[in-house]
Every structure is written in C-alpha cells, then in structure tokens.
Amino acid sequence: MAPLPISSIRVGKIEDVQELIKSKPNKVPERFIRDANERGVLVSPKTHLHQHIPVIDLSKLSKAHTHDDFLFEILKLSQACEAWGFFQVINHGIEVDVVDDMEKVAKEFFEMPLEEKKKYPMEPGTVQGYGQAFIFSEDQKLDWCNMFALGVHPPSIRNPKLWPSKPVRFSESLEGYSKDIRTLCKRLLNYIAISLGLKEERFEVMFGEAVQAVRMNFYPPCSSPDLVLGLSPHSDGSALTVLQQSKDSCVGLQILKDNTWVPVLPLPNALVINIGDTVEVLTNGKYKSVEHRVVTNRERERLTIVTFYAPNYEVEIEPMGELVDEETNPCKYRSYNHGDYSYHYVSNKLQGKKSLDFAKILN
C-alpha cells in the first residue's frame, strides 16, 4: 500500500545537497537552516562514555551456548528494549562480504551523475525513489541528506520503475542483503517475544507476510553543521529498524535519552537496531520507540542503509492481551489497521513521536 503521488502538494525547489557542495561548498541555503531550538549540537561520544547504547551478542542466543548465557542475553535484550529502545547487535550471522557489497553499490549509486539518479524520482507524497521524503510544503525546512528508498517485500509494494539499472549489480546485491536482513528481523522478534514471556513465534504469526523497505541515506559534509540537521527528529513507524553504517562513517546518529541527545558510536561489524512504533503499541508501551535524529559533519560524509520491517498492511494492530491489565497497566492504544497507520505516517512530516498520536487513547 505504497502511497500514490499527491498532485496538490507544492514542495518548492528541493536542492540536491551533493550538487550544492560542489557549486557552493561554503554556503548553506536558507531552507536548510534550522531555528535555533532545532539545531544539531555536535557532541563528542567521549563526553557520553557512560551512555553507550546496549550491545547484544546474538551468538549467545544460539543453541550452541549454555542456558545461562541465553537467559543472561535475553535479560540484556529486555532491558535494552525497555530502557533504550535502541541496541547494537554483534555476531548477527550476516556475512561481512554481504554487508560490504551492499555498502559498495549504495555508494556507487550516490556517486552517479545527478541526471542518472533523477531517472528514479521520489514524487511528492511518496517515500520511494531518489530525493527527499516527508516534504509537504514550500517553506518546510529540508534535511542535509539525499535519500534513495525502495519497497522490497512483498513484491506488491515494489515500484519496478524505481529499481535502477546502474550500478549493474545493485538489484542483485540488494536482493541478497534484504533476504539476510529479513531473516535477522525474524530472529530478533522471536527473541523479543521470549523476553516478554510470549511464545517465540508470536510476532511472526501475527505479522503475516511482513513488509520490508530499504532507504539509503547519504549525508555530505556541511560547512556549517551547527545550523542544519541531516535528518529531522522522529520515531520509526516500523516494528523493527535495522541500520547499517558505512565503515568510514563519522558519528551522526543521536537518540533522545532522558531529554539529552546521545550520540551512537558505531561498533565494527555491528548493526544498530531500534524499536518502532508498532512494537510500542503491541507491548502497550513496555518497549518504546525512541526519538532519534542525524547531525552532519564539517569534513566527513556519512552513508547509511536502513531497513524497515513491519507487519503486513492488512494486519490489525492493538496491544497484546498478555501485556494489558485494567488495574495496573490499562490499554494505552486503540486498535487500528497497520496499512492505515503506515499511510498516516508517510503522509506527514517528521515531528518527533507525533505520528503515534494516531494510536493513543487520550484520557
């Protein structure tokens, strides 16, 4: 149920940031400059050594490890989901060559001439193609980022016209990578179910033929990184989000923890996982989606590959009965169709966790 272009939307001129830094390397156009209260604060990860996001070792959740190792890692996972909504996974089972290959073809795509990339435009009101998503007016501030997004699974959400013919190996690499990420998401949801005291396959059965999309983000250097944002603050509408950061990436991702923006320091060969709005609703708020944003760097570029994994659009979403108690933990969210929520999410600009108001029961 990918949204169709909305012809009435007037988004104004959206400048390509890669082209901007070629022609005007020391100038930041007004439309990218944020109000003072929105601007990205460049914080060194060294100032947050006590605030590293949790790390989950998936090898300890395999049958080869002891029961004690399994229980300890499940407890860590539960605490990570409840206290942070973000964690990094190591020993996740995806071959380094697969990850490296995806990074390589994504980088090659962004390095192509603009005219080649413009063959796959992101139309206003949609979230597939090349450009900027979530823009709905001519005066809306822009992110310092170029995006290329595609629906991957099921086949019905794909727009074949947007799958590029160059780089030559792009489609093949993305297919293989997405298959492995899909397997990882199913494993993670099984472990999350166990951490909640539920049957292991609970989410997989509920989700049906799950929806999977990918978005590649390229953040060029910015001469005034203190004036802009690479990506506006938001939570994700997915169940789970998987973030791959290129090996030479600078620190850019920040998550809102205790009203402070905490930078996420990438670990070698790790993937960053975050809880999406859908899991927050299903767990009745026990595991919360977390607001996050991206800041830019004066000298270094950053490339990320983000996978969004969610229930089938036909699935009805509501808090699971086991996690609702009328006296101690009453139901916080209404029942809704996931396709309706997805449409609502992509039809509005990114504004923190505002999209989740769609599902909240207001007292």
Side-chain angles (χ1 to χ4, degrees), residues 178-209:
S178 295
K179 183 179 178 181
D180 286 351
I181 293 289
R182 190 173 185 83
T183 299
L184 172 64
C185 288
K186 289 180 180 180
R187 286 179 64 200
L188 287 169
L189 285 167
N190 286 348
Y191 298 142
I192 288 172
I194 293 170
S195 78
L196 291 163
L198 305 171
K199 290 184 178 179
E200 180 177 340
E201 67 280 4
R202 182 64 182 276
F203 290 111
E204 186 168 354
V205 172
M206 182 195 308
F207 283 16
E209 189 173 19

Side-chain angles (χ1 to χ4, degrees), residues 122-345:
M122 186 181 292
E123 299 291 349
T126 71
V127 289
Q128 292 196 48
Y130 177 76
Q132 283 213 20
F134 308 105
I135 307 300
F136 296 97
S137 69
E138 294 181 300
D139 59 357
Q140 185 179 332
K141 293 296 184 181
L142 300 176
D143 292 329
W144 195 263
C145 175
N146 286 338
M147 302 176 176
F148 183 49
L150 295 168
V152 175
H153 193 87
S156 59
I157 73 167
R158 294 191 181 197
N159 184 340
K161 294 180 180 179
L162 297 177
W163 282 63
S165 57
K166 298 177 184 178
V168 175
R169 290 174 34 265
F170 182 94
S171 295
E172 178 185 350
S173 298
L174 180 56
E175 294 278 16
Y177 175 82
S178 295
K179 183 179 178 181
D180 286 351
I181 293 289
R182 190 173 185 83
T183 299
L184 172 64
C185 288
K186 289 180 180 180
R187 286 179 64 200
L188 287 169
L189 285 167
N190 286 348
Y191 298 142
I192 288 172
I194 293 170
S195 78
L196 291 163
L198 305 171
K199 290 184 178 179
E200 180 177 340
E201 67 280 4
R202 182 64 182 276
F203 290 111
E204 186 168 354
V205 172
M206 182 195 308
F207 283 16
E209 189 173 19
V211 170
Q212 185 175 345
V214 65
R215 190 179 73 222
M216 289 145 270
N217 304 309
F218 186 82
Y219 306 96
C222 180
S223 60
S224 299
D226 55 317
L227 299 181
V228 306
L229 283 175
L231 192 59
S232 300
H234 65 287
S235 62
D236 294 336
S238 57
L240 290 180
T241 300
V242 181
L243 170 70
Q244 174 189 339
Q245 305 181 79
S246 62
K247 284 185 166 52
D248 58 350
S249 278
C250 55
V251 175
L253 174 64
Q254 295 182 339
I255 67 175
L256 191 61
K257 171 71 170 169
D258 301 327
N259 294 315
T260 300
W261 288 107
V262 178
V264 176
L265 183 64
L267 295 176
N269 301 318
L271 296 169
V272 177
I273 312 295
N274 65 278
I275 299 297
D277 294 345
T278 301
V279 166
E280 174 168 337
V281 172
L282 291 171
T283 63
N284 201 33
K286 181 176 177 64
Y287 292 171
K288 288 183 172 60
S289 61
V290 171
E291 195 172 333
H292 51 287
R293 68 180 187 180
V294 174
V295 296
T296 61
N297 188 280
R298 189 182 303 276
E299 298 173 352
R300 297 176 61 187
E301 63 189 39
R302 182 168 177 265
L303 170 68
T304 63
I305 299 144
V306 188
T307 299
F308 304 97
Y309 188 85
N312 189 276
Y313 289 136
E314 302 303 318
V315 172
E316 293 295 312
I317 300 296
E318 64 183 356
M320 294 181 286
E322 300 92 329
L323 301 174
V324 175
D325 185 292
E326 288 188 12
E327 292 186 3
T328 60
N329 191 31
C331 189
K332 299 179 178 71
Y333 308 91
R334 66 179 180 86
S335 175
Y336 60 86
N337 171 267
H338 181 63
D340 290 344
Y341 181 66
S342 296
Y343 185 81
H344 166 77
Y345 185 91

Side-chain angles (χ1 to χ4, degrees), residues 14-29:
I14 298 178
E15 296 189 82
D16 185 285
V17 287
Q18 286 174 266
E19 299 303 307
L20 266 178
I21 64 168
K22 291 177 186 176
S23 59
K24 302 173 182 176
N26 297 314
K27 181 176 175 57
V28 177

Side-chain angles (χ1 to χ4, degrees), residues 350-363:
L350 300 178
Q351 282 185 288
K353 293 190 66 171
K354 188 174 176 60
S355 287
L356 199 52
D357 290 347
F358 173 94
K360 288 180 178 176
I361 295 175
L362 302 176
N363 296 324

